[in-house]
Amino acid sequence: MSIHPEYADALLDGTKTVELRKSLLAYDVSHIVIYATAPVQRVVGWVEAVRVEHDSPTAIWKRHRSRTGIRERDFRNYYQGHPRAVAIHVDSPRRLRSPLELSEVDEGLTPPQSWRYLSAAEAESVGIRV
């Protein structure tokens, strides 16, 4: 999942426990591999996906604002014009000692626009055993 570096750090240090998206993930996702966008441009770690919920942006903000790591103004701008917000609850952050280039995960892998599913082999390349 592509995540801005400041939010990637917050997920990996455990201060952000709800990742926000506009579209639903598959319900069987067990881990989220974190690709920190520019200027880092590396896979920096992963978190376990505990559960996924969706609701209106207002309802998600009311329930989870303290766990999102984002200012309300930025939250509102992100969801402007979108009727649904997705809250991915995460736990057990794991930061890689040495961030990986995408080519180290799989040759030809390109940065996802938002997120993409990894094969078991790709997940294992960052240390996730599924």
Coordinates of all heavy atoms in Angstrom, one line a residue, residues 26-77:
A26 N -10.1 -6.4 0.0 CA -10.7 -7.7 0.2 C -10.7 -8.0 1.7 O -9.8 -7.6 2.4 CB -9.9 -8.8 -0.5
Y27 N -11.8 -8.7 2.2 CA -11.9 -9.0 3.6 C -10.9 -10.0 4.1 O -10.7 -10.1 5.3 CB -13.3 -9.4 3.9 CG -14.2 -8.2 4.0 CD1 -15.1 -7.9 2.9 CD2 -14.3 -7.4 5.1 CE1 -15.9 -6.8 2.9 CE2 -15.1 -6.3 5.1 CZ -15.9 -6.0 4.0 OH -16.7 -4.9 4.1
D28 N -10.2 -10.7 3.2 CA -9.2 -11.7 3.7 C -7.8 -11.2 3.7 O -6.9 -12.0 3.9 CB -9.3 -13.0 2.8 CG -9.0 -12.7 1.4 OD1 -8.9 -11.6 1.0 OD2 -8.8 -13.7 0.6
V29 N -7.6 -9.9 3.6 CA -6.3 -9.3 3.7 C -5.8 -9.4 5.2 O -6.5 -9.0 6.1 CB -6.3 -7.8 3.3 CG1 -5.0 -7.2 3.6 CG2 -6.6 -7.7 1.8
S30 N -4.6 -10.0 5.3 CA -4.1 -10.2 6.7 C -3.0 -9.3 7.1 O -2.8 -9.0 8.2 CB -3.6 -11.7 6.9 OG -2.5 -11.9 6.0
H31 N -2.3 -8.8 6.1 CA -1.2 -7.9 6.3 C -1.2 -6.7 5.3 O -1.6 -7.0 4.1 CB 0.2 -8.6 6.2 CG 0.4 -9.6 7.2 ND1 -0.1 -10.8 7.2 CD2 1.1 -9.5 8.4 CE1 0.2 -11.5 8.3 NE2 1.0 -10.7 9.0
I32 N -0.7 -5.6 5.7 CA -0.5 -4.5 4.7 C 1.0 -4.2 4.7 O 1.6 -3.8 5.7 CB -1.3 -3.3 5.2 CG1 -2.8 -3.6 5.1 CG2 -1.0 -2.1 4.3 CD1 -3.7 -2.5 5.8
V33 N 1.6 -4.4 3.5 CA 3.0 -4.0 3.3 C 3.0 -2.5 3.0 O 2.2 -2.0 2.1 CB 3.6 -4.8 2.1 CG1 5.0 -4.4 1.8 CG2 3.6 -6.3 2.5
I34 N 3.9 -1.8 3.6 CA 3.9 -0.3 3.5 C 5.0 0.1 2.6 O 6.2 -0.1 2.9 CB 4.0 0.3 4.9 CG1 2.8 -0.1 5.8 CG2 4.1 1.9 4.8 CD1 3.0 0.3 7.3
Y35 N 4.6 0.8 1.5 CA 5.5 1.4 0.6 C 5.4 2.9 0.9 O 4.4 3.5 0.7 CB 5.1 1.1 -0.9 CG 5.9 1.9 -1.9 CD1 7.2 1.4 -2.2 CD2 5.4 3.1 -2.4 CE1 8.0 2.2 -3.1 CE2 6.2 3.8 -3.4 CZ 7.5 3.3 -3.7 OH 8.2 4.0 -4.6
A36 N 6.5 3.5 1.4 CA 6.5 4.9 1.7 C 6.8 5.6 0.3 O 7.8 5.3 -0.4 CB 7.6 5.2 2.7
T37 N 6.0 6.6 0.0 CA 6.1 7.3 -1.2 C 7.3 8.3 -1.2 O 8.0 8.3 -0.2 CB 4.8 8.1 -1.5 OG1 4.5 9.0 -0.5 CG2 3.6 7.1 -1.7
A38 N 7.4 9.1 -2.2 CA 8.6 10.0 -2.3 C 8.6 10.9 -1.1 O 7.5 11.3 -0.6 CB 8.4 10.9 -3.6
P39 N 9.7 11.2 -0.6 CA 11.1 11.0 -1.2 C 11.7 9.6 -0.8 O 12.7 9.3 -1.3 CB 11.9 12.1 -0.6 CG 11.3 12.4 0.8 CD 9.8 12.1 0.6
V40 N 11.0 8.8 0.1 CA 11.6 7.6 0.5 C 11.6 6.5 -0.6 O 12.6 5.9 -0.9 CB 10.8 7.0 1.8 CG1 11.4 5.7 2.2 CG2 10.9 8.0 2.9
Q41 N 10.5 6.3 -1.2 CA 10.3 5.3 -2.3 C 10.9 3.9 -2.0 O 11.6 3.4 -2.8 CB 10.9 5.9 -3.6 CG 10.2 7.2 -4.0 CD 10.7 7.8 -5.2 OE1 11.9 8.1 -5.3 NE2 9.9 7.9 -6.2
R42 N 10.5 3.4 -0.8 CA 10.9 2.1 -0.4 C 9.8 1.4 0.4 O 8.9 2.0 1.0 CB 12.1 2.2 0.5 CG 13.4 2.8 0.0 CD 14.2 1.8 -0.8 NE 15.5 2.3 -1.1 CZ 15.8 3.1 -2.1 NH1 14.8 3.6 -2.8 NH2 17.1 3.5 -2.4
V43 N 9.9 0.0 0.4 CA 9.1 -0.7 1.3 C 9.7 -0.6 2.7 O 10.9 -1.0 2.8 CB 9.0 -2.2 0.9 CG1 8.2 -3.0 1.9 CG2 8.3 -2.3 -0.5
V44 N 9.0 -0.1 3.7 CA 9.6 0.2 5.0 C 9.1 -0.7 6.1 O 9.6 -0.7 7.2 CB 9.3 1.7 5.3 CG1 10.0 2.6 4.4 CG2 7.8 2.0 5.4
G45 N 8.0 -1.5 5.8 CA 7.6 -2.4 6.9 C 6.2 -2.9 6.6 O 5.7 -2.8 5.4
W46 N 5.5 -3.4 7.6 CA 4.1 -3.9 7.4 C 3.4 -3.9 8.8 O 4.0 -3.7 9.8 CB 4.1 -5.3 6.8 CG 4.6 -6.4 7.7 CD1 3.8 -7.1 8.6 CD2 5.9 -7.0 7.8 NE1 4.6 -8.0 9.3 CE2 5.9 -8.0 8.7 CE3 7.0 -6.7 7.1 CZ2 7.0 -8.7 9.0 CZ3 8.2 -7.5 7.4 CH2 8.1 -8.5 8.4
V47 N 2.1 -4.0 8.7 CA 1.2 -4.1 9.8 C 0.2 -5.2 9.6 O 0.0 -5.6 8.4 CB 0.5 -2.7 10.1 CG1 1.4 -1.6 10.5 CG2 -0.3 -2.3 8.9
E48 N -0.4 -5.7 10.6 CA -1.4 -6.7 10.5 C -2.8 -5.9 10.3 O -3.0 -5.0 11.0 CB -1.5 -7.6 11.7 CG -0.4 -8.6 11.8 CD -0.5 -9.5 12.9 OE1 -1.6 -9.8 13.4 OE2 0.6 -10.0 13.4
A49 N -3.6 -6.4 9.4 CA -4.9 -5.8 9.2 C -5.9 -6.6 10.1 O -6.1 -7.8 10.0 CB -5.4 -5.9 7.8
V50 N -6.4 -5.9 11.1 CA -7.3 -6.5 12.1 C -8.7 -6.6 11.6 O -9.3 -7.6 11.7 CB -7.2 -5.8 13.5 CG1 -8.1 -6.4 14.5 CG2 -5.7 -5.7 13.9
R51 N -9.2 -5.5 11.1 CA -10.6 -5.5 10.6 C -10.7 -4.3 9.7 O -10.0 -3.3 9.8 CB -11.6 -5.5 11.6 CG -11.8 -4.3 12.5 CD -12.8 -4.5 13.6 NE -12.8 -3.4 14.5 CZ -13.7 -2.4 14.4 NH1 -14.6 -2.4 13.5 NH2 -13.7 -1.4 15.3
V52 N -11.7 -4.3 8.8 CA -12.0 -3.2 7.9 C -13.5 -2.8 8.1 O -14.4 -3.7 8.2 CB -11.8 -3.7 6.4 CG1 -12.2 -2.6 5.5 CG2 -10.4 -4.1 6.2
E53 N -13.7 -1.5 8.2 CA -15.1 -1.1 8.3 C -15.3 0.1 7.3 O -14.3 0.7 6.9 CB -15.5 -0.6 9.7 CG -14.7 0.6 10.2 CD -15.2 1.0 11.6 OE1 -16.4 1.4 11.7 OE2 -14.3 1.0 12.5
H54 N -16.5 0.3 6.9 CA -16.8 1.5 6.1 C -18.1 2.1 6.5 O -19.0 1.5 7.1 CB -16.9 1.0 4.6 CG -17.9 0.0 4.3 ND1 -19.1 0.3 3.8 CD2 -17.8 -1.3 4.3 CE1 -19.8 -0.8 3.6 NE2 -19.0 -1.8 3.9
D55 N -18.1 3.4 6.3 CA -19.3 4.2 6.7 C -19.1 5.6 6.1 O -18.2 5.8 5.3 CB -19.3 4.3 8.3 CG -20.7 4.6 8.8 OD1 -21.5 5.2 8.1 OD2 -20.9 4.2 10.0
S56 N -19.9 6.5 6.4 CA -19.8 7.9 5.9 C -18.5 8.5 6.5 O -18.1 8.1 7.6 CB -21.0 8.7 6.3 OG -20.9 9.0 7.7
P57 N -17.9 9.4 5.8 CA -16.7 10.0 6.3 C -17.0 10.7 7.7 O -16.1 10.5 8.6 CB -16.4 11.1 5.3 CG -16.8 10.5 4.0 CD -18.1 9.8 4.4
T58 N -18.1 11.3 7.9 CA -18.4 11.9 9.2 C -18.4 10.8 10.3 O -17.9 11.1 11.4 CB -19.8 12.6 9.1 OG1 -19.6 13.7 8.1 CG2 -20.1 13.3 10.5
A59 N -19.1 9.7 10.1 CA -19.2 8.7 11.1 C -17.8 8.1 11.4 O -17.4 7.9 12.6 CB -20.1 7.6 10.6
I60 N -17.0 7.9 10.4 CA -15.6 7.3 10.6 C -14.8 8.3 11.4 O -14.1 7.9 12.3 CB -15.0 7.0 9.2 CG1 -15.7 5.8 8.6 CG2 -13.5 6.7 9.4 CD1 -15.5 4.4 9.3
W61 N -14.9 9.6 11.0 CA -14.1 10.6 11.8 C -14.5 10.7 13.2 O -13.7 10.7 14.1 CB -14.3 12.0 11.1 CG -13.5 13.0 11.8 CD1 -14.0 14.0 12.7 CD2 -12.1 13.2 11.8 NE1 -13.0 14.8 13.2 CE2 -11.8 14.3 12.7 CE3 -11.1 12.5 11.2 CZ2 -10.5 14.7 12.9 CZ3 -9.8 13.0 11.4 CH2 -9.5 14.1 12.2
K62 N -15.8 10.6 13.5 CA -16.3 10.7 14.9 C -15.8 9.5 15.7 O -15.4 9.7 16.9 CB -17.8 10.7 14.9 CG -18.4 12.1 14.6 CD -19.9 12.0 14.6 CE -20.5 13.4 14.2 NZ -22.0 13.4 14.2
R63 N -15.8 8.3 15.1 CA -15.3 7.1 15.8 C -13.8 7.0 16.0 O -13.4 6.4 17.0 CB -15.9 5.9 15.2 CG -17.4 5.6 15.4 CD -17.8 4.2 15.1 NE -17.6 3.8 13.7 CZ -18.5 4.0 12.7 NH1 -19.7 4.5 13.0 NH2 -18.2 3.6 11.5
H64 N -13.1 7.4 15.0 CA -11.7 7.1 15.0 C -10.7 8.2 14.8 O -9.5 8.0 14.6 CB -11.4 6.1 13.8 CG -12.3 4.9 13.9 ND1 -12.3 4.0 14.9 CD2 -13.3 4.4 13.0 CE1 -13.2 3.1 14.7 NE2 -13.8 3.3 13.6
R65 N -11.1 9.5 14.9 CA -10.2 10.6 14.7 C -8.9 10.5 15.4 O -7.9 10.9 14.9 CB -10.9 11.9 14.9 CG -11.3 12.2 16.3 CD -12.0 13.5 16.5 NE -12.8 13.5 17.7 CZ -14.1 13.7 17.7 NH1 -14.7 14.0 16.6 NH2 -14.7 13.7 18.8
S66 N -8.9 10.1 16.7 CA -7.7 10.1 17.5 C -6.7 9.0 17.0 O -5.6 9.0 17.4 CB -8.0 9.9 18.9 OG -8.6 8.6 19.2
R67 N -7.2 8.1 16.2 CA -6.3 7.0 15.8 C -5.9 7.1 14.3 O -5.2 6.2 13.8 CB -7.0 5.6 16.0 CG -7.2 5.4 17.5 CD -7.9 4.0 17.8 NE -9.3 4.0 17.3 CZ -10.3 4.5 18.0 NH1 -10.2 5.0 19.2 NH2 -11.5 4.3 17.5
T68 N -6.3 8.1 13.6 CA -6.0 8.2 12.2 C -4.7 8.9 11.8 O -4.2 8.8 10.7 CB -7.2 9.0 11.5 OG1 -7.2 10.3 12.0 CG2 -8.5 8.3 11.6
G69 N -4.2 9.7 12.8 CA -3.0 10.4 12.5 C -3.1 11.6 11.5 O -2.1 12.0 10.9
I70 N -4.3 12.1 11.3 CA -4.5 13.1 10.3 C -5.3 14.2 10.9 O -6.1 14.0 11.7 CB -5.2 12.5 9.0 CG1 -5.2 13.4 7.8 CG2 -6.6 12.0 9.3 CD1 -5.7 12.8 6.5
R71 N -5.1 15.4 10.4 CA -5.8 16.6 10.8 C -7.2 16.6 10.2 O -7.4 16.1 9.0 CB -5.1 17.9 10.5 CG -3.8 18.1 11.3 CD -3.2 19.4 10.9 NE -3.1 19.7 9.5 CZ -1.9 19.6 8.8 NH1 -0.8 19.2 9.4 NH2 -1.9 19.8 7.5
E72 N -8.2 17.1 10.9 CA -9.6 17.1 10.3 C -9.7 17.8 9.0 O -10.4 17.3 8.1 CB -10.6 17.7 11.3 CG -12.0 17.6 10.8 CD -13.0 18.1 11.9 OE1 -12.6 18.7 12.9 OE2 -14.2 17.8 11.6
R73 N -9.0 18.9 8.8 CA -9.1 19.6 7.5 C -8.5 18.7 6.4 O -9.2 18.6 5.3 CB -8.2 20.9 7.6 CG -8.2 21.7 6.3 CD -7.3 22.9 6.4 NE -5.9 22.5 6.5 CZ -5.1 22.8 7.4 NH1 -5.5 23.6 8.4 NH2 -3.8 22.4 7.4
D74 N -7.5 18.0 6.6 CA -6.9 17.1 5.6 C -7.8 15.9 5.4 O -8.0 15.4 4.2 CB -5.5 16.6 6.0 CG -4.5 17.7 6.1 OD1 -4.7 18.7 5.3 OD2 -3.6 17.6 6.9
F75 N -8.4 15.4 6.4 CA -9.4 14.3 6.3 C -10.6 14.7 5.4 O -11.0 14.0 4.5 CB -9.9 13.9 7.7 CG -11.0 12.9 7.7 CD1 -10.6 11.5 7.8 CD2 -12.3 13.2 7.7 CE1 -11.6 10.5 7.8 CE2 -13.3 12.2 7.7 CZ -13.0 10.9 7.7
R76 N -11.1 15.9 5.7 CA -12.3 16.4 4.9 C -11.9 16.6 3.5 O -12.7 16.3 2.5 CB -12.8 17.7 5.5 CG -13.3 17.6 6.9 CD -14.7 16.9 6.9 NE -15.1 16.7 8.3 CZ -15.9 15.7 8.7 NH1 -16.3 14.8 7.8 NH2 -16.2 15.5 10.0
N77 N -10.7 17.1 3.2 CA -10.2 17.3 1.8 C -10.1 16.0 1.1 O -10.4 15.9 -0.1 CB -8.9 18.1 1.8 CG -9.1 19.6 2.1 OD1 -10.1 20.1 2.0 ND2 -8.0 20.2 2.6

